[in-house]
Amino acid sequence: MGGISTPGILALTEMTQRLDVDHDNARYLAQQLAEVPGIEVDTEDVHINMVWFALPDGVDVPRLMRAFEAAGIRANGAYGGKMRLVTHWQIDREAIDRTVAVIRIVVVG
């Protein structure tokens, strides 16, 4: 027995209608990250709802992850000095600003 689950149907019928919002938010996220000293992000290479960026050498990644957790931000850790953040229907500009503020505190001090 196969088929598409309710979340799958919701994703195909409703969430595709807001992809432009997710993509706009990803571009906003990239722009905000680019303003953090030491963060490297190619703001011209954000075409979907994912933003990849490089952390400066020496960033205490476990501290960053603890700071994310304390702020209620879910993210995967850095891999090879890079991180990826994803925008979606639960992520608005306020959440992006909060995320960037946490990164700024840990990276810049």
Side-chain angles (χ1 to χ4, degrees), residues 91-105:
I91 305 299
D92 58 15
R93 297 282 169 110
E94 182 180 324
I96 291 168
D97 291 342
R98 190 174 73 247
T99 301
V100 173
V102 169
I103 292 169
R104 182 179 294 278
I105 289 167

Side-chain angles (χ1 to χ4, degrees), residues 1 9 13 16 20 28 30-31 34 53 55 65 71 80 88-89 99-101 103 105-106:
M1 183 174 272
I9 292 170
T13 60
T16 56
D20 58 333
Y28 175 77
Q31 292 165 349
F53 60 99
L55 296 167
M65 298 313 294
H88 52 78
W89 69 276
T99 301
V100 173
I103 292 169
I105 289 167
V106 172

Side-chain angles (χ1 to χ4, degrees), residues 34-92:
E35 293 180 12
V36 177
I39 296 288
E40 294 179 24
V41 58
D42 183 354
T43 58
E44 299 298 317
D45 193 32
V46 179
H47 306 290
I48 58 174
N49 66 329
M50 297 180 193
V51 178
W52 285 267
F53 60 99
L55 296 167
D57 290 337
V59 168
D60 185 343
V61 175
R63 178 177 170 233
L64 176 61
M65 298 313 294
R66 287 190 304 273
F68 278 157
E69 185 176 346
I73 299 166
R74 294 179 55 191
N76 292 327
Y79 180 77
K82 291 194 174 204
M83 286 194 75
R84 177 190 66 156
L85 295 175
V86 180
T87 60
H88 52 78
W89 69 276
Q90 294 173 308
I91 305 299
D92 58 15

Side-chain angles (χ1 to χ4, degrees), residues 8-27:
I9 292 170
L10 179 66
L12 291 172
T13 60
E14 294 185 28
M15 295 304 156
T16 56
Q17 304 302 311
R18 60 161 286 120
L19 285 176
D20 58 333
V21 174
D22 294 337
H23 296 172
D24 286 344
N25 282 339
R27 286 187 288 277

